[in-house]
Amino acid sequence: MSTPSHRLKLQRADEHLADIRALTEPLREGREYPVLETMKPYKKGPRWDYVLDLDQVQPPERLPILMGDYMFNVRSALDHLAVALAPRKYRRKVSFPIHTTDPLARDDTSGNYVNPEAAVRWLALGEWLPSNCIAALKVLQPYEAAALHGQPPDRHALALLGGFQNADKHRELIGAVVGLAEGAEVEINGIAECALPGFKNSATIVANAPEKMDVKVKGVAIVGIKRGNETWSFDLLAEKLTAFIADELLPRLEPLL
């Protein structure tokens, strides 16, 4: 039996992921990174801010292309899987849905659908796919996971995939930035003070005080992926996406093929 097309697409995505990791490997060596010192005068006295400076650490030029190719192949794999679930006569109409809000939610006052376009698409999907497939797809939606786990639906792996891949496909390359991985060490006046939580990019204030200090930051650079004012670790996003597909999406949908 030949390998299903959605599995081939996921394999291609894994190849892009390996290329991304090979390309960014030189960034991952732990070392000291520069800190910019600024003084702000206040009525109560000056305050010294120490800001992480990563302007000289740029992501490789090809990186946004590879990230976009990775996202495309993952998104395309989901579409191929959804198409495979449909009867042959409907396959040209079907794609994998990604919703951060309930497409069938109604306004409490008017009773109308809150998002008529989303409602039309979901109801059409119900005509094209068997009911057990619709039930499985519904459970996988970001808004369902948000209700179950109390996490914002727009932070769900599928929601991030949809947002980044649509931007890359239609408007602009994915924004790749360099930041320090969680746990970067801050040393103040020769004493290790703390480890920075989360992904930290350039312009992060790592320390401040009413007097001048000697501040150093040591850590491992990793690649972040940027949308609007927010930045995520690309490695973490890829891990979340891979885990969700392997642990939740494929086990629910592949038995229905």
Side-chain angles (χ1 to χ4, degrees), residues 9-253:
K9 286 284 187 177
L10 291 174
Q11 290 173 13
R12 185 60 178 139
D14 287 342
E15 292 170 2
H16 286 306
L17 201 54
D19 290 341
I20 289 168
R21 287 171 176 158
L23 188 63
T24 58
E25 187 61 33
L27 295 173
R28 301 172 189 270
E29 182 180 349
R31 65 181 180 87
E32 185 176 319
Y33 287 90
V35 174
L36 295 178
E37 178 185 80
T38 61
M39 189 275 287
K40 296 181 180 179
Y42 292 103
K43 290 182 179 180
K44 294 183 179 180
R47 188 187 77 183
W48 296 85
D49 288 343
Y50 295 85
V51 180
L52 185 62
D53 178 16
L54 298 175
D55 289 347
Q56 302 304 313
V57 188
Q58 296 298 320
E61 190 174 44
R62 290 180 55 240
L63 190 57
I65 300 294
L66 290 174
M67 286 178 168
D69 289 345
Y70 164 76
M71 298 281 188
F72 169 80
N73 277 279
V74 175
R75 184 69 178 91
S76 182
L78 303 188
D79 287 338
H80 277 239
L81 180 53
V83 167
L85 294 171
R88 187 170 298 276
K89 63 180 178 179
Y90 295 131
R91 288 184 176 178
R92 290 184 177 273
K93 299 180 178 182
V94 172
S95 61
F96 192 98
I98 298 177
H99 293 285
T100 55
T101 59
D102 184 353
L104 300 183
R106 293 180 181 270
D107 181 81
D108 291 337
T109 303
S110 67
N112 297 328
Y113 289 119
V114 174
N115 187 335
E117 290 184 9
V120 167
R121 290 196 301 270
W122 186 264
L123 291 171
L125 202 61
E127 296 178 4
W128 302 331
L129 293 177
S131 59
N132 58 345
C133 295
I134 293 296
L137 287 170
K138 183 176 185 294
V139 171
L140 294 169
Q141 294 306 304
Y143 74 90
E144 284 282 338
L148 182 62
H149 301 296
Q151 298 293 327
D154 59 353
R155 301 297 182 94
H156 189 276
L158 284 187
L160 291 171
L161 170 67
F164 283 121
Q165 204 272 315
N166 284 339
D168 177 78
K169 180 172 63 176
H170 296 299
R171 296 189 297 277
E172 58 190 3
L173 292 176
I174 286 173
V177 297
V178 173
L180 297 189
E182 182 170 1
E185 296 180 356
V186 179
E187 182 182 292
I188 299 176
N189 296 331
I191 301 173
E193 292 288 343
C194 64
L196 297 175
F199 177 91
K200 297 301 178 185
N201 56 3
S202 197
T204 297
I205 296 177
V206 297
N208 56 56
E211 67 277 337
K212 193 171 181 177
M213 304 184 297
D214 178 29
V215 178
K216 296 178 181 179
V217 175
K218 298 177 182 178
V220 175
I222 57 173
V223 173
I225 186 168
K226 186 176 178 64
R227 188 177 66 180
N229 295 323
E230 295 190 280
T231 304
W232 290 266
S233 161
F234 179 78
D235 286 349
L236 181 58
L237 174 59
E239 287 173 11
K240 286 179 61 176
L241 197 51
T242 299
F244 175 76
I245 290 172
D247 298 341
E248 297 189 48
L249 191 146
L250 294 179
R252 286 185 184 276
L253 295 181

